[in-house]
Each structure stands twice: as C-alpha cells, then as structure tokens.
Amino acid sequence: MDHSFVILPEEQAPEGLEHCALCELSKQRTRVIWGEGNPDAPLMMILDNPGAREDREGNSFLCGTREALQLGLREAGIDKNDVYVTFLLKCRPRRAYNKPEARTACLSHLRQQLLQKQPTVLFGFGNVVAEALFPDKEIASVKEMRGSWHEFQGTPISFTYHPLAVRRRPNLFKFFIEDLRFLKKKWTEISQTKQG
C-alpha cells in the first residue's frame, strides 16, 4: 500500500472567475485556487483558504495542511479519489486583509460550486469555515458542531478540527479520525439508500 502523500490535481476556476476582484485578496494573490482532487467526487471538503502551493524556488509543495488531511483520510479509510477539496477563500492570503469582507465575497463562489457539483456530503475544517457557513448560529464552532449533522444549501455537513490544529496538537488526532469515520459512515448510508 502506498503511504506517500500526493499533490492532488488542481481544478481551474470557471472562466472569468480566475480574475475575480471582489475583495482585496485579488491584489495579493498569485492565482485563484478553485479546488483540488476529483472534481466529480461525492465528498466535498471545505478548508478556510489555500496553503502554500509552491516552495521559494517555485516547485510544487505539499503543505502541512494537505499532509495532515491525507493522513486522516487514510486512517479513516476514505479514498482520496472520493474527495474534492475546496476553500472558503479562493486566494491564499499573504498579509493582513479585511476578513469579513473577503469571506462574504468568496462565499458566493462556494455556493456556486455546490450548485454545480451537487456533492453527496460536505465536511468543513475549523472554526472559520463553521462561522462563515452558519453566521446566524449562536456558537458556530467545531467543538459545538462536530459529531452531528447540519445542512448547508440542502446538503448534509459536519465539521472537524483544522488539519494544522491537529498537527500542532496531536491530542486532537483521535477526534480528527473519529470525525472522518463519522463522515464515511454518513456517506455510506446515503449511498446505500440511493442504491436501495
């Protein structure tokens, strides 16, 4: 079994959106990162923003977030080909920016992706994603929302800790795996219901 980490193929932004200028991140980005992995995957995972894609020499680079996520998927028995990873913010921030404005601007892109892709299940990582998707919830945090199912645009969604938080705090790893297994169980149940 191959235990190496891989750089998942990037999906190009739809025509016109690669030049998005809805928020100030357009002035500090290298490019718009629409998503990566299998564009037709049943599982859509949402991270807060893209991490480093290239090292200082410009070579493709696997950041800690992607490594931790792939390790979690493997431990939970989820094939990376069944996963599409996208981002709340479609640009990698390089310096301080107006976070509420950027999240509001980018949320329209995420909603568009969901309508286009129609994934079976959604899975969010970290408090930033939880707060952005559920702004009316009194406490939108991973701690409050993990281990149960919610709905976003008619699609079931649950949450777990951000992969970088798991790297920094190894005690979270068991919860991270638990949550990813919880996701796999839900997806399996929905798939069996559709087939039945």
Side-chain angles (χ1 to χ4, degrees):
M1 195 175 173
D2 182 20
H3 285 309
S4 59
F5 300 109
V6 297
I7 294 172
L8 298 172
E10 252 183 56
E11 184 184 29
Q12 294 302 306
E15 204 172 324
L17 291 180
E18 72 274 25
H19 305 301
C20 171
L22 290 178
C23 78
E24 64 188 284
L25 287 180
S26 62
K27 296 179 179 69
Q28 47 173 291
R29 68 166 179 243
T30 311
R31 64 186 187 281
V32 169
I33 312 287
W34 197 246
E36 60 182 50
N38 175 4
D40 303 312
L43 306 179
M44 185 189 272
M45 302 190 154
I46 307 166
L47 286 160
D48 49 354
N49 54 261
R53 327 293 292 179
E54 290 93 13
D55 63 17
R56 286 189 180 137
E57 283 72 49
N59 302 310
S60 286
F61 172 73
L62 197 66
C63 67
T65 295
R66 289 142 110 196
E67 263 188 20
L69 176 55
Q70 287 182 33
L71 179 61
L73 292 175
R74 197 154 56 215
E75 289 287 321
I78 297 172
D79 190 316
K80 60 184 175 292
N81 295 316
D82 290 322
V83 169
Y84 177 78
V85 180
T86 191
F87 309 93
L88 177 62
L89 300 181
K90 305 298 187 203
C91 307
R92 181 179 175 228
R94 294 179 180 276
R95 53 185 180 274
Y97 63 100
N98 181 329
K99 291 179 180 177
E101 182 191 78
R103 287 171 194 167
T104 302
C106 256
L107 197 53
S108 60
H109 296 326
L110 184 62
R111 289 183 183 279
Q112 181 185 330
Q113 267 182 313
L114 269 175
L115 286 170
Q116 180 210 345
K117 294 185 179 302
Q118 302 282 312
T120 306
V121 190
L122 291 169
F123 205 65
F125 295 89
N127 291 336
V128 168
V129 175
E131 288 161 12
L133 300 191
F134 293 93
D136 300 329
K137 210 170 179 58
E138 199 177 325
I139 305 173
S141 70
V142 168
K143 209 170 175 184
E144 288 292 318
M145 299 180 81
R146 64 177 289 269
S148 56
W149 289 99
H150 314 272
E151 208 171 85
F152 183 72
Q153 277 189 203
T155 305
I157 184 168
S158 191
F159 292 87
T160 193
Y161 299 99
H162 193 286
L164 275 187
V166 174
R167 270 176 84 100
R168 290 188 194 117
R169 296 168 56 199
N171 61 311
L172 293 178
F173 191 67
K174 64 175 187 281
F175 302 115
F176 189 62
I177 301 307
E178 203 176 278
D179 295 340
L180 286 164
R181 286 185 178 139
F182 181 64
L183 162 67
K184 188 181 181 186
K185 184 171 179 271
K186 178 74 166 179
W187 170 43
T188 305
E189 283 168 6
I190 294 172
S191 303
Q192 285 170 348
T193 307
K194 281 182 178 173
Q195 286 165 4

